[in-house]
Amino acid sequence: MSFSLTDANAATGKAIYDANCAACHEAGIMGAPKTGNKPAWAPRIAQGMNVLVDKSIKGYQGKKGMMPAKGGNPKLTNADVKASVEYMVGLSK
Ligand code: HEC
């Protein structure tokens, strides 16, 4: 399975990330792994994209904190969440 992005997907992922995910992940607050922090992301990325996307859609309580379902925005589609995860992971590996 390939995770390469078309430019359109990357642009959408960035827009969704900026609006819904950056509040926690940009600065790494509330226990969120900071975007671009490769050591923090490596073990998470190792779970595989499907797991990361699934947990981002459903939300979960981890050791560091609480990741809200869809970043707290139920209006996002699963595809929206996937695009934003791909964007975040792309900057973090
Ligand atoms: C209210 C703060 C907050 C927002 C907003 C938020 N997150 Fe998170 N996120 C967290 C926290 C806290 C964790 C770490 C939880 C843990 O592992 O203990 C996390 C973890 C993650 C992980 C890693 C999951 C794993 O298995 O290691 C991904 C991927 C993720 N978030 C994606 C997103 C996406 C995509 C968005 C926007 C749609 C988003 N997050 C918005 C707080 C947030």
Side-chain angles (χ1 to χ4, degrees):
M1 195 168 174
S2 162
F3 299 111
S4 63
L5 294 169
T6 66
D7 289 349
N9 281 346
T12 308
K14 182 182 189 314
I16 296 162
Y17 168 84
D18 286 347
N20 300 284
C21 319
C24 294
H25 285 276
E26 190 65 21
I29 61 159
M30 293 178 59
K34 185 175 172 176
T35 304
N37 182 339
K38 294 176 188 181
W41 276 97
R44 298 178 184 273
I45 291 169
Q47 300 175 105
M49 275 305 280
N50 289 345
V51 173
L52 292 179
V53 171
D54 191 60
K55 286 162 84 177
S56 302
I57 290 168
K58 294 176 184 157
Y60 75 102
Q61 174 68 55
K63 291 196 184 86
K64 305 261 188 189
M66 160 77 182
M67 165 66 200
K70 296 185 172 177
N73 183 355
K75 290 188 180 146
L76 293 179
T77 65
N78 291 356
D80 289 341
V81 176
K82 182 166 186 277
S84 56
V85 173
E86 285 174 343
Y87 174 76
M88 204 186 301
V89 164
L91 294 175
S92 307
K93 67 181 179 187

